[in-house]
Amino acid sequence: EAGVAQSPRYKIIEKRQSVAFWCNPISGHATLYWYQQILGQGPKLLIQFQNNGVVDDSQLPKDRFSAERLKGVDSTLKIQPAKLEDSAVYLCASRGQGGAYEQYFGPGTRLTVT
Amino acid sequence: QKEVEQDPGPLSVPEGAIVSLNCTYSNSAFQYFMWYRQYSRKGPELLMYTYSSGNKEDGRFTAQVDKSSKYISLFIRDSQPSDSATYLCAMSYNQAGTALIFGKGTTLSVSS
């Protein structure tokens, strides 16, 4: 079974630029999560999708972050404009029919904002 | 007060040692308790999960949950250099797929 795929793996941009990350979840997984992991911290939820609907985006900085999940499969997370404090690893996770603990994480995209 | 507290370490032990990793939490509504292992530049991978209080053993790993004290532990017996990683505790309110609340992670180094 293929895992969660993310691209790009690394991205360096200047502040005020825009950036987009892509995630392909495990086939058949209806629930998709985007987490932000700042260096030295645990992952923090940004947004949760169930199929192509948003379940929880309460911690998403909506003035600069946006996310979509078209057709309930792939998802894209965008930041525009980026700030220095957005430097982090952006993790995508997906879950099938299992419990909350059965979240499978991708390798993440490491973003550096200079 | 953060919902989940975890000492970031780093923790360094010799090969073969018993390792104890711990987290405390403040919200008594948490029902599911997980331990994830994260190698450098990789995503977290689930090691173990426990529902409510009690112990769970899987090979060299034992997870303990004490809800009365709001305290969870992960024990690693006969630690190996391959166990060197960051260990994240995570918690969930229910089984319905809500997002996990993570601790900061403890960095473990096992030397041969």
Side-chain angles (χ1 to χ4, degrees), chain B:
Chain B
Q1 181 187 17
K2 285 188 179 294
E3 281 194 285
V4 180
E5 300 275 5
Q6 184 176 9
D7 185 343
L11 182 61
S12 295
V13 301
E15 183 175 356
I18 296 175
V19 176
S20 172
L21 305 168
N22 312 293
C23 288
T24 59
Y25 62 96
S26 58
N27 193 331
S28 58
F30 287 130
Q31 296 287 339
Y32 293 85
F33 304 91
M34 283 68 72
W35 286 96
Y36 280 80
R37 179 174 60 196
Q38 186 173 27
Y39 289 113
S40 180
R41 301 189 183 276
K42 301 286 188 182
E45 58 175 332
L46 179 66
L47 267 181
M48 300 185 70
Y49 75 91
T50 309
Y51 171 68
S52 194
S53 285
N55 295 356
K56 191 170 186 177
E57 188 172 321
D58 183 2
R60 297 185 295 111
F61 298 88
T62 299
Q64 289 185 352
V65 175
D66 182 349
K67 291 193 73 178
S68 62
S69 303
K70 298 190 179 68
Y71 188 87
I72 71 170
S73 301
L74 177 71
F75 297 95
I76 307 174
R77 291 182 298 279
D78 187 24
S79 56
Q80 303 294 311
S82 58
D83 295 328
S84 298
T86 295
Y87 290 80
L88 297 153
C89 64
M91 305 181 188
S92 176
Y93 299 108
N94 57 48
Q95 196 175 343
T98 52
L100 303 178
I101 310 298
F102 283 87
K104 282 187 176 182
T106 299
T107 300
L108 171 67
S109 177
V110 182
S111 56
S112 57

Side-chain angles (χ1 to χ4, degrees), chain A:
Chain A
E1 179 183 71
V4 176
Q6 290 188 247
S7 67
R9 291 296 313 278
Y10 305 92
K11 191 74 177 178
I12 301 174
I13 62 171
E14 295 181 351
K15 60 184 179 184
R16 291 187 289 274
Q17 286 186 326
S18 62
V19 65
F21 314 127
W22 172 82
C23 172
N24 179 236
I26 293 173
S27 178
H29 280 195
T31 310
L32 185 147
Y33 311 82
W34 282 101
Y35 289 86
Q36 179 192 57
Q37 186 175 23
I38 293 172
L39 186 65
Q41 304 286 326
K44 184 188 80 170
L45 179 74
L46 290 174
I47 189 167
Q48 177 183 348
F49 292 94
Q50 179 73 21
N51 295 309
N52 60 350
V54 175
V55 173
D56 182 358
D57 64 356
S58 58
Q59 299 187 81
L60 187 74
K62 298 180 186 64
D63 58 334
R64 297 183 301 105
F65 286 65
S66 64
E68 61 182 5
R69 190 181 184 197
L70 298 176
K71 300 181 181 178
V73 182
D74 293 3
S75 178
T76 303
L77 177 70
K78 297 179 181 177
I79 307 175
Q80 182 179 12
K83 292 185 175 182
L84 296 176
E85 58 261 36
D86 298 332
S87 294
V89 175
Y90 291 84
L91 294 162
C92 179
S94 70
R95 185 183 71 89
Q97 297 301 314
Y101 47 84
E102 291 195 63
Q103 294 186 24
Y104 296 89
F105 285 82
T109 296
R110 183 176 298 271
L111 174 67
T112 302
V113 182
T114 63

